[in-house]
Amino acid sequence: MIISGKELSAKLKADMAAEVAAFPAKYGRVPHLVVILVGDDPASVSYVTGKAKASAEVGIRNTTIRQPADISEAELLALIAELNADPEVDGILVQLPLPGHIDQARVIAAIDRGKDVDGFHPLNVAALWQKQPCTLPCTPKGIIAMLKAAGVEIAGREAVVVGRSNIVGLPVAKLLLDENATVTVAHSRTRDLAEVTRRAEILVVAIGKPKFITADMVAEGAVVVDVGVNRDPATGKLCGDVDFAAVEPKASVITPVPGGVGPMTICCLLENTIECFLRRRE
Ligand code: GUN
């Protein structure tokens, strides 16, 4: 079975659009998401465009602020302070990665915790790891939603996450733990990675290496979630971290690239924006 993140996210977006349509009468306006893009990295431009398009589909107001790659850290922090103080702004997203001269951690920490739609603020990360109410990071949240929608049993099963980033690997491992999976986090320094990934009943791959996971690394019947967004060096086409053509026949359930995790990430960003909007009104 191939889980279509595209189909699932279309359904979720239709539900959100109906919810948001009632907001002007109820609250006087719709939620407002501000996305900051520094520089013109093509992948980042494409992600930010996708976020704006999806916001429009759901009726969420989206402002994308583009800044030059040589913006100073102080200028970026001043912009964030302004958005934090603006009562008409509900969500703030700074597209990552940032240019090397800017301290990413300092920028993330500067965002008002209640407007942190990415769930990257240190207080949101701490709350996640302490099982306290928090904004969940979008990609991990989308992955769990996809698994549940596909009827995948998580509790008690062996899950292997390949990759240990703050954005995906670590938080998705925590969410799988919270769903009572037995979780292993593997990474570039893992000895005999194939032996570890073959143990997985649920395999989540987020390493950013085109077609890195081959059929011999996957157990028969495994559930495979591919978070990668890469260019295939051979064809120039979009591909995941999993060699889909080779692995799909072995997997019981698999997510495609494109049309898998990506649309779910955007969907969860919209959900988080609505959550932040509503929380500010409580
Ligand atoms: N860059 C890659 N993924 C993400 C994400 O989920 N949020 C932000 N802000 N930047 C990213």
Side-chain angles (χ1 to χ4, degrees):
M1 176 170 96
I2 298 171
I3 316 182
S4 170
K6 204 172 156 184
E7 268 174 39
L8 180 57
S9 68
K11 207 178 307 162
L12 295 170
K13 279 190 284 189
D15 292 346
M16 282 189 276
E19 188 187 357
V20 169
F23 286 174
K26 229 162 150 182
Y27 305 110
R29 66 174 180 85
V30 297
H32 182 199
L33 170 65
V34 176
V35 176
I36 302 173
L37 172 60
V38 177
D40 49 14
D41 170 65
S44 291
V45 171
S46 151
Y47 293 145
V48 163
T49 308
K51 288 164 185 175
K53 185 173 159 274
S55 299
E57 283 169 29
V58 166
I60 288 175
R61 179 179 164 204
N62 181 297
T63 304
T64 300
I65 301 176
R66 292 194 65 163
Q67 294 291 334
D70 63 357
I71 186 177
S72 71
E73 184 180 294
E75 285 172 306
L76 185 54
L77 291 172
L79 172 59
I80 289 169
E82 205 179 292
L83 297 169
N84 284 343
D86 187 340
E88 298 294 313
V89 173
D90 304 294
I92 303 169
L93 180 147
V94 179
Q95 186 64 32
L96 304 177
L98 290 168
H101 67 280
I102 297 174
D103 182 342
Q104 204 153 280
R106 189 176 293 162
V107 169
I108 291 168
I111 297 170
D112 182 313
R113 186 210 170 169
K115 297 187 180 186
D116 169 34
V117 286
D118 262 328
F120 293 168
H121 189 282
L123 290 173
N124 275 325
V125 176
L128 167 67
W129 287 88
Q130 295 181 350
K131 252 186 168 174
Q132 298 297 310
C134 63
T135 300
L136 295 177
C138 305
T139 302
K141 183 177 178 177
I143 289 170
I144 300 295
M146 273 176 111
L147 293 175
K148 288 189 172 172
V152 172
E153 173 94 31
I154 303 175
R157 299 184 82 190
E158 287 284 342
V160 175
V161 176
V162 187
R164 51 180 161 177
S165 69
N166 289 332
I167 295 183
V168 184
L170 293 182
V172 81
K174 173 59 172 149
L175 292 186
L176 288 164
L177 259 181
D178 289 349
E179 296 292 335
N180 301 305
T182 301
V183 182
T184 301
V185 181
H187 46 78
S188 54
R189 301 286 290 273
T190 296
R191 191 158 22 95
D192 200 353
L193 179 64
E195 190 270 319
V196 175
T197 56
R198 271 195 300 270
R199 279 189 236 148
E201 297 178 276
I202 300 170
L203 179 63
V204 179
V205 192
I207 48 171
K209 292 186 180 162
K211 299 187 178 177
F212 181 81
I213 299 291
T214 45
D216 61 299
M217 299 171 82
V218 179
E220 199 70 47
V223 173
V224 180
V225 177
D226 189 351
V227 184
V229 182
N230 313 294
R231 290 275 162 202
D232 184 339
T235 64
K237 281 192 190 159
L238 220 54
C239 76
D241 292 344
V242 175
D243 183 348
F244 185 87
V247 170
E248 192 263 336
K250 272 187 115 172
S252 60
V253 176
I254 189 166
T255 67
V257 176
V261 172
M264 289 302 294
T265 294
I266 294 189
C267 204
C268 289
L269 169 65
L270 303 177
E271 266 181 31
N272 285 352
T273 304
I274 294 172
E275 271 179 34
C276 287
F277 170 85
L278 291 175
R279 214 180 298 120
R280 285 157 52 71
R281 264 143 202 87
E282 271 165 14

